[in-house]
């Protein structure tokens, strides 16, 4: 059931993901990423906010902020899984592997590499501030719009 808290959480984390994607693009101009990267992060951010933060916005501003940080972990891992899977499946013909276990392992490895690559200080600070503000905004929305 859609609620104001879920909508605010989804939109706030989508905005956080878009800003973090732009910061990431500025730090890594050598990587061939563009609008699909930004929109993909926004979509992952919206779902992470809707399902993780919107369902449990907390009982105070502090617990709301902590819920925002918890949902950032889901955003970061979710974006890594989505873009790692996109990389693996778009290059599936190049791997020439005979072992079916290698593809999921490569997906996990690529996901881990993307998450580690994204954890630069400026992207981390952007995510931290965005997560705290998203959590507080979601808590306030859950209190004022029932």
């Amino acid at each position: 059931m859609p609620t104001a808290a879920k909508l605010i959480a989804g939109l706030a984390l989508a905005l956080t993901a878009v800003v973090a994607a732009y910061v990431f693009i500025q730090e890594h101009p050598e990587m061939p990423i563009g609008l699909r990267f930004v929109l993909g992060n926004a979509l992952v951010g919206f779902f992470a906010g809707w399902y993780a933060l919107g369902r449990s916005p907390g009982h105070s501003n502090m617990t709301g902020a902590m819920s925002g940080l918890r949902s950032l972990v889901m955003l970061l891992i979710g974006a890594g899984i989505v873009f790692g899977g996109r990389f693996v499946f778009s290059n599936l013909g190049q791997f020439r592997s005979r072992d079916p276990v290698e593809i999921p392992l490569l997906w996990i490895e690529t996901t881990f590499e993307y998450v580690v690559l994204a954890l630069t200080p400026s992207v981390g600070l952007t995510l931290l501030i965005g997560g705290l503000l998203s959590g507080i905004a979601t808590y306030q929305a859950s209190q004022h719009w029932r």
Side-chain angles (χ1 to χ4, degrees), residues 16-124:
T16 300
V18 166
V19 172
Y22 277 118
V23 170
F24 182 82
I25 289 171
Q26 295 300 317
E27 286 187 354
H28 302 285
E30 72 279 357
M31 294 183 74
I33 50 182
L35 186 61
R36 285 186 182 178
F37 177 72
V38 174
L39 293 177
N41 276 322
L43 190 63
V44 172
F46 183 81
F47 284 119
W50 185 278
Y51 288 109
L53 183 57
R55 288 185 179 179
S56 60
H59 302 291
S60 67
N61 282 333
M62 181 61 80
T63 57
M66 292 302 114
S67 294
L69 292 179
R70 180 195 46 153
S71 63
L72 276 182
V73 173
M74 291 194 60
L75 166 66
L76 200 56
I77 292 172
I81 289 171
V82 166
F83 290 109
R86 183 181 180 278
F87 172 77
V88 168
F89 288 113
S90 66
N91 296 325
L92 198 57
Q94 297 174 359
F95 295 135
R96 311 236 192 293
S97 68
R98 296 177 188 253
D99 189 12
V101 178
E102 288 181 21
I103 301 299
L105 291 178
L106 183 63
W107 191 352
I108 293 169
E109 179 183 335
T110 307
T111 298
F112 182 74
E113 288 174 3
Y114 282 167
V115 169
V116 168
L117 185 65
L119 288 178
T120 60
S122 57
V123 173

